[in-house]
C-alpha cells in the first residue's frame, strides 16, 4: 500500500465518510423492531414436513433457488420481512463454494489497496460495506466466529511504512467496528509470536485483525434460522424447469415458480411464487438459461485451492498473509479447527459440481509455504491431510457495455420475465447482498414488505451462547473438555440438545460422548443430530455438519462405517443403501478432498532414491519381520514379532496398516514396496506412515532387549 496515497486518502477520510454515511448509517440502525415471531423456536419441521409445505402451499411470495450463503441469506431476509418464503437447493446447504472458502470474514485488504492506489471511491465503499458486515457477522454468530490476528512478515525496510500505512487505513475505514488496532512488531517479537517464521532478512512484522468462522456451519445456521422463522426450505430438491404465465396487462411471459424434483425420492411437484430469486453461485447461468436460452453468460468461474496441514505449522492463534508470492497470487496461512489451512487466490476454471484439487496447485502452495517458514521446519507433501477446491462465481455485469470486464462486487439483475438474479460478491457480504436483492424483488414484484430486519438478528445457536457454556456441558453431562468446547463452538446454545443424545461410554471418564475417531472431538450423537438438521447423506455429515472430511481425509475414511450405521438406523436405510452411501462418501474423499492425491504419493512407479547404507539399514529392519527371507511380510509375520514385545494390535487394524503399503494388493508387503515406502518417507512425500513407524519402533525395541545374559536368566547373583 502506497504511503503517499494513504496520507492523501486519510486526509480525505471525513469527506469519504460523509459521502457514504447515508447507506451505512441506515444499515447500522435498522435493527429488528421488537421481537420477531419464531414459530419453530424449539423443534424444526422435518424435511418431509418442509417438502409437504412446498407442495401444498398455493403460492409463496418468494422462492429462492440455491442454498449457499447468499441464497440462505435471501430466505432469512425475506421471511423476517413477513414474506411467505421457500428455498430449494439441489444438493446440500453449503455444499458448493460456501463450504470451501478461506474461512475468513474480511473486508478485503487488497481491495483497499486498489482503492488507495487508484483513488477509487467504489472500491473504498465496497471495503467499508464488507467491514460493516464483518462486525455484524461476528456479533450474530459469536459461537461460530471470532477475531483472528494475521501477521504480514516484512523482509525489506522500505516495506514497513508501506504496509503500515495501508493497514492503518484498514483500521480507519472500519472505524468504531475495528476489531482491534493493528500494530508493528520487531523481528524478535515477531519470532516469539510466530516461531516457525524464517529468520533470514526478516525486518519485522505488522499484525492486523480480521474475522474467522466455520463457513459450512455458518451457512447452515443461516438456513436453519430461516426455517425457524417459518421459511419452507429443502435440500436435495432441484429445479427441473421454471414455471411461467402471461402477464394479464402486457401478455408477456412472467416467471411464476418452478417445477421441482425431490432427488431422494424422485417425486416431482410445482412450487408457485410471485417472485423467483436465482442465488445459485457458479451455476447462475444454468438457471438464467432456463428462463431464456439466448441469454449471455455472466459467470466467470475461478478456483481457489486450499490444503490442510498439521496444527504445528502455525501458532494456535496467529495467521499469516503473504501478499506477494512468486507468481503474484496471495497466500493465507491460518490456524483453523486446531489444524493449519493454507490457500491461494483464484485461477480460471470450468464450472463443475465436483471441483477436484490439482496436484500442481497443492505443490505450489507447499513451495510458497517453504519460502516463509524456517528451514528447521520441513514442509512435507505427506503432511497434507486434506485438500479442496472451491469455485468463486465472479461475474460480468450484463448491463455493462464492456461485457469482458469482471464486476468487482456483485450484481442484482432482473430479466424480462421477472427472474431476479444475485451473483458475485463474497462470503462476508452475504447479508447486505440478500438485503439488496429483496429490496429489488419487493419493488419489481410489488410485494408488501417493510425494510430488512437482519442486522443484529442472532443466528441459530448464537443467542444462548457464552464463552463459558462448555463448562456447563462438562459439569452437567460428563463430557470431555475438548468435546464440550467443540460442541459449544459448533452448536452454540443448542449444544445441550446434542449432549442429551450422547450415549454413556461405560468409562469412569468421560461419562458420555463416544468419539467417531480418537483424535477429533466429533461424537456419535452429532450424527443423530445431523439428521434433524436435514443431513440426508454421509457426505453431509463428514463435510458440513462436522468438518472431519475437510480436516483429515484418513480420519474421515475411518469414521465412515460407524456414521453409515448410525444414519442407517435414523433413516431406515436398507443394506444396499448403506453400501451405496459408503461408496459415495469414499469417492468424495478420494476425489474432492484430496485423498487420491495423497494416496498416489506412494505408487508402483515411485523411485527408490536411497543410498546404499540406507538400503542396507532398511533391509535389516525388513528381515527382522521376514524371518524366512521370503521377500515379503504378512500380518502373521508382524504379529509374531509384536508378541515377542508383548504388543497387541487388533488384526483388522493390522490389515489396514499393511494395506496402505501393499501396492500390488496381494495381501503382503514385498521388500521393494517397503523400500519405496521408506524412500517416500525420506523425501517427505509421505508422513505418519503407520507401518514405517511401527517397524522402526519394533526394531528399536528388539535391539534394546538383545540376548538375555546367563547371569540374569535365572535371577543369579
Amino acid at each position: 500500500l502506497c504511503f503517499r496515497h494513504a496520507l492523501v486518502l486519510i486526509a480525505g477520510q471525513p469527506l469519504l465518510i460523509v459521502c457514504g454515511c447515508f447507506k451505512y448509517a441506515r444499515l447500522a440502525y435498522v435493527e429488528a423492531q421488537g421481537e420477531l415471531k419464531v414459530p419453530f423456536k424449539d423443534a424444526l419441521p422435518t424435511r418431509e414436513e418442509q417438502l409437504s409445505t412446498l407442495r401444498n402451499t398455493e403460492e409463496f411470495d418468494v422462492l429462492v433457488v440455491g442454498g449457499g450463503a447468499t441464497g440462505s441469506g435471501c430466505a432469512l431476509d425475506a421471511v423476517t420481512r413477513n414474506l411467505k418464503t421457500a428455498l430449494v437447493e439441489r444438493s446440500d446447504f453449503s455444499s458448493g463454494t460456501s463450504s470451501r472458502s478461506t474461512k475468513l470474514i474480511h473486508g478485503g485488504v487488497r481491495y483497499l489497496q486498489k482503492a488507495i492506489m487508484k483513488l477509487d471511491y467504489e472500491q473504498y465503499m465496497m471495503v467499508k460495506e464488507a467491514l460493516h458486515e464483518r462486525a455484524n457477522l461476528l456479533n450474530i454468530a459469536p459461537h461460530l466466529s471470532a477475531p483472528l490476528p494475521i501477521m504480514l512478515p516484512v523482509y525489506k525496510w522500505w516495506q514497513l511504512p508501506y504496509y503500515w500505512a495501508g493497514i492503518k487505513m484498514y483500521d480507519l475505514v472500519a472505524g468504531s467496528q475495528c476489531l482491534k488496532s493493528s500494530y508493528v512488531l520487531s523481528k524478535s517479537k515477531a519470532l516469539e509470536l510466530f516461531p516457525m517464521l524464517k529468520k533470514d532478512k526478516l525486518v519485522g512484522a505488522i499484525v492486523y485483525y480480521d474475522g474467522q468462522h466455520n463457513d459450512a456451519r455458518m451457512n447452515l445456521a443461516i438456513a436453519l434460522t430461516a426455517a425457524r422463522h417459518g421459511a419452507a426450505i429443502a435440500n436435495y430438491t432441484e429445479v427441473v424447469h421454471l414455471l411461467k404465465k402471461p402477464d394479464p396487462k402486457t401478455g408477456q411471459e412472467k416467471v411464476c415458480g418452478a417445477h421441482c424434483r425431490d432427488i431422494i425420492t424422485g417425486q416431482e411437484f410445482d412450487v408457485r411464487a410471485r417472485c423467483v430469486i436465482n442465488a445459485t453461485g457458479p451455476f447462475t447461468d444454468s438457471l438464467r438459461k432456463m428462463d431464456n436460452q439466448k441469454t449471455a453468460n455472466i459467470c466467470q468461474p475461478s478456483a481457489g485451492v486450499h490444503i490442510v496441514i498439521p496444527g504445528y505449522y502455525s501458532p494456535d492463534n496467529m495467521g499469516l498473509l503473504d501478499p506477494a508470492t512468486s507468481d503474484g497470487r496471495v497466500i493465507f496461512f491460518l490456524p483453523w479447527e486446531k489444524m493449519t489451512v493454507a490457500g491461494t487466490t483464484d485461477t480460471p476454471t470450468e464450472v463443475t459440481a465436483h471441483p477436484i484439487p490439482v496436484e500442481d496447485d497443492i505443490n505450489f502452495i507447499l513451495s510458497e509455504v517453504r519460502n516463509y517458514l524456517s528451514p528447521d521446519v520441513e514442509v512435507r507433501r505427506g503432511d497434507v491431510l486434506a485438500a479442496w477446491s472451491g469455485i468463486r462465481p465472479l461475474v460480468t455485469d450484463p448491463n455493462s457495455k464492456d461485457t469482458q470486464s469482471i464486476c468487482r462486487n456483485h450484481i442484482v439483475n432482473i430479466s424480462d420475465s421477472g427472474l431476479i438474479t444475485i451473483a458475485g460478491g463474497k462470503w462476508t457480504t452475504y447479508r447486505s447482498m440478500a438485503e439488496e436483492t429483496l429490496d429489488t424483488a419487493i419493488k419489481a414484484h410489488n410485494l408488501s414488505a417493510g425494510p430488512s430486519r437482519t442486522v443484529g438478528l442472532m443466528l441459530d445457536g448464537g443467542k444462548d451462547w457464552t464463552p463459558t457454556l462448555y463448562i456447563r456441558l462438562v459439569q452437567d453431562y460428563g463430557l470431555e473438555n475438548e468435546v464440550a468446547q467443540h460442541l459449544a463452538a459448533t452448536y452454540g446454545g443448542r449444544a445441550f440438545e446434542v449432549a442429551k443424545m450422547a450415549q454413556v461410554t461405560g468409562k469412569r471418564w468421560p461419562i458420555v460422548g463416544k468419539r467417531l475417531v480418537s483424535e477429533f472431538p466429533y461424537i456419535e450423537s452429532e450424527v443423530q443430530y445431523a439428521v434433524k438438521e436435514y443431513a440426508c447423506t454421509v457426505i453431509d455429515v463428514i463435510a458440513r455438519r462436522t468438518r472431519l472430511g475437510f480436516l483429515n481425509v484418513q480420519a474421515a475414511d475411518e469414521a465412515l462405517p460407524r456414521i453409515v450405521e448410525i444414519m442407517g438406523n435414523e433413516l431406515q436405510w436398507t443394506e444396499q443403501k448403506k453400501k451405496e452411501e459408503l461408496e459415495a462418501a469414499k469417492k468424495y474423499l478420494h476425489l474432492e478432498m484430496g485423498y487420491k492425491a495423497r494416496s498416489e504419493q506412494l505408487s508402483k512407479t515411485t523411485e527408490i532414491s536411497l543410498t546404499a547404507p540406507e538400503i542396507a539399514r532398511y533391509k535389516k529392519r525388513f528381515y527382522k519381520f521376514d524371518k524366512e527371507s521370503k521377500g515379503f511380510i504378512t500380518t502373521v509375520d508382524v504379529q509374531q514379532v509384536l508378541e515377542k514385545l508383548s504388543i497387541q494390535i487388533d488384526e483388522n487394524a493390522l490389515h489396514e496398516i499393511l494395506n496402505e503399503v501393499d501396492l500390488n494388493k496381494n495381501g503382503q508387503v514385498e521388500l521393494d514396496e517397503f523400500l519405496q515406502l521408506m524412500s517416500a518417507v525420506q523425501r517427505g512425500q509421505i508422513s505418519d506412515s503407520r507401518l514405517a513407524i511401527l517397524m522402526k519402533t519394533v526394531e528399536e525395541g528388539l535391539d534394546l532387549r538383545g540376548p538375555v545374559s546367563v547371569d540374569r536368566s535365572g535371577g543369579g547373583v
Side-chain angles (χ1 to χ4, degrees):
L1 298 175
C2 176
F3 183 63
R4 178 171 58 82
H5 282 145
L7 288 178
V8 170
L9 201 52
I10 289 168
Q13 173 71 4
L15 175 62
L16 288 170
I17 290 177
V18 168
C19 291
C21 70
F22 175 74
K23 179 179 180 183
Y24 294 100
R26 182 175 66 82
L27 277 176
Y29 295 107
V30 182
E31 298 288 345
Q33 300 297 320
E35 282 294 315
L36 287 164
K37 292 181 181 178
V38 187
F40 303 110
K41 187 175 182 180
D42 298 320
L44 284 165
T46 64
R47 181 173 180 273
E48 288 68 30
E49 289 169 340
Q50 295 280 34
L51 286 166
S52 177
T53 302
L54 288 172
R55 284 193 301 266
N56 299 322
T57 300
E58 185 177 341
E59 185 180 51
F60 289 95
D61 292 316
V62 174
L63 167 61
V64 182
V65 183
T70 305
S72 298
C74 286
L76 179 58
D77 192 283
V79 76
T80 51
R81 298 196 201 203
N82 294 320
L83 292 171
K84 196 179 291 184
T85 305
L87 180 148
V88 293
E89 159 61 47
R90 74 172 180 182
S91 186
D92 186 28
F93 305 113
S94 193
S95 57
T97 307
S98 297
S99 63
R100 300 165 188 253
S101 73
T102 309
K103 320 303 177 198
L104 285 179
I105 309 169
H106 63 102
V109 175
R110 287 178 297 141
Y111 297 119
L112 183 61
Q113 180 185 19
K114 292 175 185 176
I116 294 171
M117 297 296 284
K118 298 178 181 179
L119 296 177
D120 188 328
Y121 179 70
E122 185 186 340
Q123 290 270 19
Y124 166 79
M125 292 307 292
M126 190 175 79
V127 174
K128 189 165 180 63
E129 178 186 40
L131 287 170
H132 171 270
E133 293 302 323
R134 178 187 72 176
N136 183 64
L137 196 48
L138 288 165
N139 179 48
I140 64 176
H143 58 306
L144 292 169
S145 58
L148 176 73
I150 299 175
M151 181 181 290
L152 275 78
V154 179
Y155 290 95
K156 295 175 182 176
W157 279 107
W158 64 267
Q159 289 178 330
L160 209 53
Y162 182 84
Y163 288 140
W164 177 85
I167 294 301
K168 278 298 170 190
M169 182 63 197
Y170 194 57
D171 292 350
L172 195 59
V173 174
S176 62
Q177 294 170 331
C178 179
L179 300 180
K180 192 174 178 181
S181 184
S182 57
Y183 53 92
V184 178
L185 292 172
S186 65
K187 176 180 179 178
S188 59
K189 195 67 180 176
L191 291 170
E192 184 182 321
L193 291 175
F194 209 118
M196 309 84 179
L197 212 54
K198 185 181 284 185
K199 303 177 180 67
D200 295 349
K201 299 179 183 178
L202 183 68
V203 171
I206 296 168
V207 175
Y208 74 98
Y209 285 77
D210 257 328
Q212 188 180 50
H213 68 155
N214 185 339
D215 54 1
R217 290 295 320 182
M218 184 73 82
N219 190 158
L220 188 63
I222 299 165
L224 294 178
T225 307
R228 289 191 187 281
H229 281 85
I233 68 171
N235 54 353
Y236 294 98
T237 305
E238 69 174 346
V239 171
V240 179
H241 61 80
L242 294 173
L243 302 176
K244 291 187 178 182
K245 66 179 180 181
D247 187 306
K249 293 180 181 178
T250 64
Q252 186 179 7
E253 289 282 295
K254 294 289 184 180
V255 173
C256 63
H259 183 70
C260 300
R261 183 170 73 93
D262 177 4
I263 291 174
I264 305 295
T265 64
Q267 185 178 24
E268 297 191 8
F269 53 91
D270 288 343
V271 179
R272 299 196 173 273
R274 295 173 65 188
C275 170
V276 176
I277 294 174
N278 173 12
T280 52
F283 302 96
T284 293
D285 291 322
S286 298
L287 201 70
R288 292 177 78 244
K289 287 184 184 296
M290 280 188 193
D291 176 32
N292 179 1
Q293 191 61 41
K294 295 179 181 178
T295 194
N297 287 348
I298 62 170
C299 187
Q300 304 280 332
S302 60
V305 173
H306 296 80
I307 64 171
V308 172
I309 48 183
Y312 54 68
Y313 274 98
S314 64
D316 291 340
N317 193 37
M318 178 70 76
L320 191 141
L321 167 64
D322 184 354
T325 60
S326 59
D327 69 352
R329 285 188 281 182
V330 172
I331 276 194
F332 286 97
F333 191 69
L334 310 165
W336 182 66
E337 300 285 323
K338 299 191 176 177
M339 296 293 178
T340 301
V341 173
T344 70
T345 51
D346 308 301
T347 50
T349 187
E350 295 295 319
V351 175
T352 172
H354 306 287
I356 298 171
V358 180
E359 186 65 25
D360 287 347
D361 284 330
I362 294 171
N363 286 321
F364 169 78
I365 297 170
L366 289 172
S367 65
E368 292 300 327
V369 166
R370 291 186 187 101
N371 288 339
Y372 52 78
L373 290 190
S374 168
D376 297 345
V377 181
E378 184 185 356
V379 180
R380 305 177 297 183
R381 173 61 182 83
D383 280 337
V384 177
L385 303 173
W388 71 86
S389 175
I391 300 177
R392 185 183 175 198
L394 301 174
V395 289
T396 54
D397 190 339
N399 300 319
S400 172
K401 292 179 182 178
D402 178 11
T403 55
Q404 296 303 309
S405 60
I406 293 178
C407 183
R408 298 165 181 160
N409 198 353
H410 63 270
I411 60 166
V412 179
N413 175 254
I414 310 173
S415 75
D416 293 339
S417 62
L419 176 69
I420 309 281
T421 295
I422 169 66
K426 57 183 179 178
W427 225 119
T428 309
T429 57
Y430 85 91
R431 192 213 63 82
S432 59
M433 288 162 60
E435 178 182 353
E436 184 182 335
T437 304
L438 264 296
D439 285 344
T440 303
I442 288 165
K443 186 177 179 181
H445 293 272
N446 197 28
L447 303 176
S448 178
S452 175
R453 306 175 79 181
T454 51
V455 171
L457 180 69
M458 299 299 286
L459 297 184
D460 196 50
K463 187 175 181 181
D464 299 321
W465 177 86
T466 66
T468 55
L469 182 143
Y470 76 94
I471 297 173
R472 284 176 53 205
L473 290 169
V474 174
Q475 293 175 337
D476 293 356
Y477 294 95
L479 288 161
E480 290 177 84
N481 193 56
E482 186 186 11
V483 170
Q485 287 178 327
H486 152 67
L487 293 181
T490 303
Y491 305 95
R494 300 199 179 275
F496 293 98
E497 296 175 26
V498 184
K500 286 174 188 174
M501 299 168 74
Q503 292 182 334
V504 175
T505 62
K507 300 177 183 177
R508 184 185 62 80
W509 191 262
I511 298 170
V512 301
K514 291 182 179 179
R515 294 193 182 210
L516 289 168
V517 283
S518 59
E519 68 265 44
F520 287 93
Y522 302 114
I523 58 175
E524 292 183 356
S525 63
E526 289 183 79
V527 182
Q528 294 171 273
Y529 193 75
V531 175
K532 294 180 181 294
E533 293 183 324
Y534 306 127
C536 299
T537 71
V538 172
I539 297 171
D540 295 344
V541 173
I542 60 173
R544 293 171 287 275
R545 303 310 184 281
T546 72
R547 306 314 306 274
L548 191 54
F550 278 74
L551 294 170
N552 190 315
V553 287
Q554 281 189 296
D557 189 58
E558 287 177 22
L560 290 181
R562 183 59 182 145
I563 294 172
V564 169
E565 186 181 342
I566 297 169
M567 287 194 80
N569 292 336
E570 293 291 316
L571 296 169
Q572 285 84 53
W573 285 346
T574 63
E575 288 303 314
Q576 179 60 28
K577 174 65 173 173
K578 289 179 183 178
K579 184 180 178 183
E580 289 171 1
E581 282 291 324
L582 184 63
E583 289 174 356
K586 282 182 175 292
K587 183 179 178 182
Y588 170 81
L589 291 173
H590 191 66
L591 296 176
E592 294 184 53
M593 288 293 113
Y595 208 168
K596 181 174 184 282
R598 179 178 171 85
S599 62
E600 285 180 352
Q601 293 307 303
L602 182 64
S603 68
K604 294 176 185 178
T605 58
T606 301
E607 292 182 11
I608 300 174
S609 55
L610 298 169
T611 63
E614 285 172 338
I615 290 174
R617 185 168 82 247
Y618 293 135
K619 278 185 175 180
K620 180 184 174 186
R621 182 176 300 172
F622 185 83
Y623 286 121
K624 283 187 182 292
F625 293 82
D626 181 17
K627 296 289 187 184
E628 300 168 9
S629 300
K630 305 182 297 294
F632 63 86
I633 57 174
T634 63
T635 53
V636 175
D637 295 320
V638 177
Q639 258 176 338
Q640 286 176 349
V641 177
L642 293 178
E643 285 172 4
K644 292 182 181 179
L645 294 173
S646 300
I647 298 173
Q648 290 186 335
I649 293 182
D650 178 71
E651 187 176 351
N652 290 332
L654 205 53
H655 272 292
E656 284 182 19
I657 291 171
L658 264 67
N659 191 50
E660 291 173 7
V661 187
D662 179 13
L663 301 176
N664 296 321
K665 302 304 175 191
N666 56 3
Q668 55 197 36
V669 174
E670 294 158 10
L671 176 60
D672 64 332
E673 289 174 328
F674 178 68
L675 293 176
Q676 283 174 318
L677 168 68
M678 297 315 299
S679 180
V681 169
Q682 288 270 51
R683 294 201 301 270
Q685 287 179 294
I686 289 178
S687 64
D688 304 328
S689 166
R690 294 186 286 180
L691 183 64
I693 293 171
L694 174 66
M695 291 177 73
K696 180 183 179 184
T697 305
V698 168
E699 180 188 47
E700 290 171 349
L702 290 172
D703 290 345
L704 280 172
R705 281 182 53 174
V708 180
S709 60
V710 175
D711 64 322
R712 299 288 295 171
S713 61
V717 296

